[in-house]
Amino acid sequence: MTTTTTGSTSYHTLVGNALQLLGAGLGPYISVRLRAAAGRGHYVPDDVDTFGDVEGDVAVMLRVMAAGWNEIFRDHLGPVERSLVSEIRETRNRWAHMESFSEDDLDRALDSIGRLLTAVGAHVEGNRVDQAKHRLRRRRYGSDQTAAASVGERPEPGVVAPEPERRSTEPAPPVAMPPTPGVDGGARMETLVKEGISCRQQGNFQMAIASFGKAISINREHPDPWYHRALTWGHMGQFERAINDFNRVISLDNSFADAYNGRGYAQFCLGDDPKAIADFEEAINLAPDDELTRANLEKARKRWAERGGGY
């Protein structure tokens, strides 16, 4: 079966890479847990589930975790992790049968695999999977300077950026910054936003959120710190929080096209196709030449049609 591709790399291959990292991270954890269970008489390896084979085959690892959950793993992991094991087993079976993976499938697989790796303490492998997930989300949001040209490059907007970077239909009016004792408030806000953008591009999302929050505390009426914090929530998969901040941006500047696109993408990730479509359409009304938003709109319309919603 033909797989969906991005550049020369297929989504199927990227899922396979993540599964390899999962195997590397799960192996030591499962071996420790199985040996401890065997020592208590709660686990007896069979001809397939020898300790060596378990550590070398991710399919066997996931099967052993599912089958021995109550006896071996329940005291160390919770119901969320049990659901992740079931989900990843299904993903692995799809991968083994050479089924195609969409971009959304890849995002979900990377998120679930990364969360399970983190839960078992495999932080090195988990961080690598998370980095791949965040690269994908930065590209899909269009806010990373290294975004793939096939998706549509979009540089980071400036803090108080002129057209066309800000993508507002009218030039932004000057904003009077409240002074801070000994510090110029406007300059400090701009510095904090730039620091937050740098942290986000490096994958330091919590530090980025903190920087944008400080910038917001200096001037709550300027849309840019809210906008960049919304993007960061989106990269972290916190789509409800992203929508809340995008709402604030739009309330401050209803001609901020990128904010409509960002909110639409967050709505799309949450499965609300009608709201996503409405936001993408408004973004295109404000910035007709934005190819990234047009691609997002077509994707949302296609999925909505597949769900029986029209178009």
Side-chain angles (χ1 to χ4, degrees):
M1 180 177 293
T2 303
T3 57
T4 308
T5 59
T6 173
S8 60
T9 305
S10 71
Y11 297 149
H12 183 274
T13 299
L14 294 175
V15 171
N17 292 345
L19 288 170
Q20 286 186 334
L21 287 169
L22 177 66
L26 273 185
Y29 169 81
I30 290 181
S31 290
V32 169
R33 296 266 60 84
L34 293 185
R35 292 182 190 280
R40 299 191 305 269
H42 293 168
Y43 169 73
V44 178
D46 58 26
D47 292 337
V48 175
D49 298 338
T50 64
F51 295 121
D53 287 338
V54 168
E55 193 164 342
D57 189 329
V58 69
V60 175
M61 292 183 218
L62 293 169
R63 181 169 65 82
V64 168
M65 290 187 76
W69 188 267
N70 291 333
E71 296 81 6
I72 303 171
F73 302 100
R74 185 175 61 182
D75 292 340
H76 302 271
L77 300 172
V80 171
E81 288 73 34
R82 187 173 190 175
S83 297
L84 290 174
V85 170
S86 298
E87 179 184 326
I88 297 169
R89 288 188 75 192
E90 181 178 347
T91 298
R92 188 268 167 195
N93 290 338
R94 288 183 58 196
W95 175 83
H97 288 90
M98 295 301 294
E99 293 186 23
S100 62
F101 288 86
S102 68
E103 196 170 55
D104 291 330
D105 293 334
L106 173 60
D107 185 286
R108 180 64 178 263
L110 293 175
D111 183 67
S112 298
I113 290 171
R115 289 167 62 191
L116 183 58
L117 284 166
T118 298
V120 302
H123 298 295
V124 172
E125 294 82 3
N127 286 338
R128 290 183 61 186
V129 173
D130 284 344
Q131 287 169 10
K133 177 186 69 178
H134 295 316
R135 285 195 298 271
L136 173 67
R137 289 179 177 176
R138 285 196 296 270
R139 182 173 66 80
R140 296 180 77 182
Y141 262 109
S143 64
D144 190 5
Q145 292 178 347
T146 60
S150 61
V151 177
E153 293 187 3
R154 174 181 293 159
E156 290 278 7
V159 176
V160 188
E163 290 291 320
E165 290 180 338
R166 263 278 315 271
R167 295 180 183 271
S168 177
T169 55
E170 298 179 2
V175 178
M177 302 293 182
T180 301
V183 180
D184 178 80
R188 178 59 177 157
M189 188 200 78
E190 183 172 348
T191 297
L192 285 166
V193 173
K194 287 180 178 179
E195 289 176 356
I197 292 171
S198 178
C199 289
R200 184 173 67 225
Q201 291 174 338
Q202 296 172 36
N204 296 327
F205 297 114
Q206 294 297 339
M207 291 181 65
I209 291 294
S211 293
F212 297 136
K214 292 176 182 177
I216 289 169
S217 69
I218 292 174
N219 187 346
R220 298 183 64 82
E221 302 307 311
H222 200 294
D224 285 329
W226 294 97
Y227 171 71
H228 284 289
R229 193 172 73 171
L231 285 181
T232 307
W233 287 129
H235 296 331
M236 296 169 68
Q238 299 288 326
F239 299 117
E240 293 89 351
R241 289 179 168 178
I243 290 169
N244 288 336
D245 279 0
F246 282 128
N247 289 342
R248 179 68 174 180
V249 175
I250 292 168
S251 72
L252 294 170
D253 180 0
N254 62 8
S255 63
F256 201 149
D258 280 342
Y260 286 100
N261 176 61
R263 188 173 71 177
Y265 179 68
Q267 303 279 17
F268 179 81
C269 290
L270 291 174
D272 196 335
D273 295 332
K275 287 184 179 179
I277 290 167
D279 276 339
F280 292 144
E281 288 176 340
E282 181 61 24
I284 289 172
N285 287 337
L286 294 168
D289 296 329
D290 189 344
E291 295 301 322
L292 175 63
T293 301
R294 289 190 179 277
N296 286 340
L297 175 60
E298 291 306 311
K299 185 180 298 184
R301 284 177 170 174
K302 180 180 179 182
R303 191 174 73 179
W304 184 232
E306 291 172 350
R307 293 174 171 179
Y311 295 103

